[in-house]
């Protein structure tokens, strides 16, 4: 009798593994697709953030020059300093502010365009995970919980992530 139960358990495990294999492949494929799209979107956002950060640093430096310039006023009793230097700094600040705005206006639609496919790919991944989990849940009661862990799936997903590094 115990021998028959062991054979039956082995057969159930085999059937469960055969059934989950295509589901694990589907989850991995959806995960890989999402990671690739997401990596591109993150790279583009990082690039824009770096460009804006550089412009922000230049803007801050000009602002600091302007504050320093305004503090250098000498006593008006001795002589009057010209505001031409300040006007040049204000002009440069205005040009930089416009440049940041133009850059964002130019790049934002590209970022938004990248977001929709990433969102759709993640939703497809989530749907494949739901199908996998429903399948594994259908085996509860027929096999011990130790046989129904997600370890195989986790290892497969880890392999996908490592291949994309």
């Amino acid at each position: 009798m115990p021998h028959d139960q062991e054979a039956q358990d082995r057969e159930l495990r085999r059937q469960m593994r055969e059934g989950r294999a295509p589901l694990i492949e589907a989850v991995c494929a959806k995960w890989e697709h999402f990671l690739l799209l997401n990596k591109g979107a993150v790279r583009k956002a990082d690039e824009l953030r770096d460009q804006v950060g550089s412009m922000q640093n230049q803007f801050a430096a000009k602002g600091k020059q302007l504050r320093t310039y305004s503090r250098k006023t000498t006593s008006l009793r001795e002589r009057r300093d010209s505001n031409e230097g300040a006007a040049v700094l204000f002009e440069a600040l205005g040009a930089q502010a416009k440049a940041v705005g133009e850059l964002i206006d130019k790049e934002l639609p590209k970022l938004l365009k990248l977001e929709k496919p990433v969102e759709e790919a993640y939703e497809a991944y989530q749907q494949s995970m739901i199908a996998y989990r429903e399948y594994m849940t259908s085996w509860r009661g027929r096999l011990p919980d130790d046989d129904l862990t997600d370890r195989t799936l986790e290892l497969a997903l880890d392999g996908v992530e490592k291949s994309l590094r």
Side-chain angles (χ1 to χ4, degrees), residues 13-150:
R13 280 188 201 97
R14 185 190 64 73
Q15 290 174 9
M16 182 270 298
R17 288 182 186 123
E18 283 179 4
R20 79 175 176 188
L23 294 170
I24 289 175
E25 288 174 18
V27 169
C28 287
K30 301 293 183 191
W31 183 239
E32 181 177 20
H33 182 64
F34 162 73
L35 287 176
L36 289 171
L37 290 174
N38 191 57
K39 186 184 280 189
V42 167
R43 189 179 306 122
K44 187 68 177 168
D46 288 347
E47 181 182 302
L48 178 59
R49 186 179 55 243
D50 290 345
Q51 288 176 338
V52 170
S54 175
M55 292 174 141
Q56 179 185 3
N57 290 340
Q58 293 171 8
F59 191 84
K62 293 251 188 307
K64 185 176 180 181
Q65 287 176 347
L66 186 62
R67 284 189 301 279
T68 304
Y69 182 84
S70 66
R71 291 184 185 131
K72 288 182 180 178
T73 57
T74 58
S75 170
L76 290 176
R77 291 183 190 162
E78 295 174 17
R79 76 181 169 107
R80 179 188 172 275
D81 281 342
S82 168
N83 283 328
E84 284 182 39
V88 169
L89 287 172
F90 278 122
E91 189 177 334
L93 285 169
Q96 283 182 315
K98 287 176 188 171
V100 169
E102 289 170 359
L103 176 66
I104 291 172
D105 288 345
K106 177 183 155 198
E107 297 296 328
L108 186 59
K110 294 175 187 175
L111 282 177
L112 295 174
K113 187 177 179 183
L114 290 174
E115 183 58 29
K116 187 173 187 219
V118 171
E119 193 175 298
E120 291 169 352
Y122 190 74
E123 180 60 31
Y125 161 73
Q126 288 294 322
Q127 291 302 316
S128 66
M129 284 295 293
I130 289 169
Y132 170 82
R133 287 210 163 66
E134 287 173 352
Y135 175 79
M136 294 304 286
T137 300
S138 73
W139 285 91
R140 293 232 186 276
R142 294 191 280 170
L143 286 172
D145 285 349
D146 290 349
D147 291 332
L148 303 175
T149 66
D150 290 339

